[in-house]
Amino acid sequence: MKILLLEDDFTLSKEISAFFTTKEFECIPYYDGSLLLKKYFPYEYDLIILDINVPGTNGIDVCKGIREVDKKTPIIMLTAFSEIEDKLASFDNGADDYLVKPFHFDELYARILSLLRRKEIPQQTEKKIIIEDLEILEEEMKVFRSGEEIKLTPKEFKLILILAHAKGKVLSKQFIADKLWDYHIETNQNTIEVYINFLRKKIDKDHEIKLIRTKIGYGYYLSNEE
């Protein structure tokens, strides 16, 4: 197994590398985000670990840059900050998990194994989902409305898939949150509503027929009928 590590703390980087060497993982360290992006080759690694606060390009922008060319390699973010905004920014730019410093190496290892197991499980997906004039191409991670491509963040794309796979069933905020984030993070009551509103502006704003619907007191669903 080959891990890419972006961590500007030289001592911590060496400790992480040494730990994973004992687990028979090869760990390739970088200390500067801009240099990593220049050297990065898609799908070269089994997993990527990115510290957020690093020289050059910060970890969140590195994550975004990687996701432009590599949609599938699991990414874990490391940071000394615990604010919800940092977590959401990481997920919005394609991160799969998030770990706050200081952390135990065994916890990081457990998270990595979980992501690697999930990566190995073949995903049975519909190649195309069509609802009214909305088309969702799962493998390509693309969405079209009336033939025009709609640019979504990774989390917005995952949200539209969650709604689409429910096939018109009303989903509660809690259910959506559990599906949207693989690990529990503390969010306020408005977090899912905020994401739904982001999605509505992109999917429904310029169209007469609205597809993202609310059942007051219950949740949200995707349908061309009320």
Side-chain angles (χ1 to χ4, degrees):
M1 289 290 182
K2 193 174 182 181
I3 295 177
L4 173 62
L5 171 64
L6 175 62
E7 172 57 68
D8 68 323
D9 184 321
F10 183 72
T11 300
L12 179 58
S13 177
K14 285 188 66 176
E15 290 175 350
I16 293 174
S17 297
F19 174 81
F20 283 110
T21 297
T22 67
K23 303 296 184 182
E24 299 184 349
F25 282 46
E26 181 183 6
C27 193
I28 311 300
Y30 280 85
Y31 306 96
D32 181 287
S34 299
L35 179 61
L36 185 153
L37 283 177
K38 288 179 183 178
K39 298 287 187 178
Y40 186 76
F41 185 80
Y43 308 109
E44 183 179 2
Y45 302 92
D46 296 290
L47 186 132
I48 301 166
I49 303 172
L50 303 175
D51 186 18
I52 290 180
N53 189 22
V54 295
T57 306
N58 70 56
I60 292 176
D61 288 337
V62 170
C63 182
K64 181 179 180 180
I66 289 175
R67 283 293 179 243
E68 290 175 355
V69 296
D70 180 343
K71 304 292 187 185
K72 296 181 180 179
T73 302
I75 297 177
I76 295 179
M77 307 299 294
L78 301 180
T79 181
F81 303 106
S82 60
E83 286 82 0
I84 187 64
E85 290 80 9
D86 293 311
K87 296 181 181 182
L88 296 181
S90 297
F91 290 131
D92 280 345
N93 285 285
D96 298 285
D97 196 9
Y98 186 106
L99 199 56
V100 178
K101 297 177 181 177
F103 56 85
H104 293 289
F105 288 170
D106 286 338
E107 181 181 4
L108 176 60
Y109 182 54
R111 299 284 187 94
I112 286 174
L113 291 182
S114 177
L115 289 174
L116 291 176
R117 282 194 296 268
R118 193 178 312 136
K119 178 184 176 183
E120 292 170 357
I121 298 173
Q123 301 296 316
Q124 296 182 348
T125 60
E126 302 175 53
K127 291 185 177 181
K128 182 187 292 187
I129 299 174
I130 299 177
I131 302 171
E132 190 68 28
D133 58 348
L134 177 71
E135 294 184 46
I136 304 172
L137 307 182
E138 294 199 45
E139 293 182 359
E140 293 86 350
M141 296 183 70
K142 292 183 178 180
V143 175
F144 297 84
R145 184 91 195 254
S146 298
E148 182 178 348
E149 184 174 359
I150 300 170
K151 297 294 184 181
L152 301 180
T153 68
K155 270 292 177 276
E156 289 169 349
F157 182 80
K158 189 171 183 178
L159 175 55
I160 197 69
L161 272 186
I162 292 168
L163 294 171
H165 285 163
K167 299 181 179 180
K169 179 182 177 181
V170 178
L171 303 179
S172 69
K173 289 182 181 180
Q174 186 60 56
F175 179 89
I176 294 172
D178 290 343
K179 293 292 184 180
L180 197 57
W181 289 284
D182 296 316
Y183 291 93
H184 175 70
I185 65 171
E186 294 182 4
T187 61
N188 60 46
Q189 293 295 318
N190 295 325
T191 301
I192 298 303
E193 184 177 339
V194 168
Y195 273 90
I196 289 289
N197 287 337
F198 286 158
L199 204 55
R200 278 185 170 136
K201 288 178 181 178
K202 295 183 178 183
I203 300 293
D204 284 339
K205 182 179 178 181
D206 298 325
H207 297 272
E208 182 178 353
I209 298 177
K210 309 304 179 185
L211 299 178
I212 301 172
R213 301 182 179 276
T214 303
K215 187 172 182 180
I216 297 175
Y218 291 89
Y220 304 99
Y221 63 105
L222 190 64
S223 177
N224 58 355
E225 299 178 355
E226 293 189 18

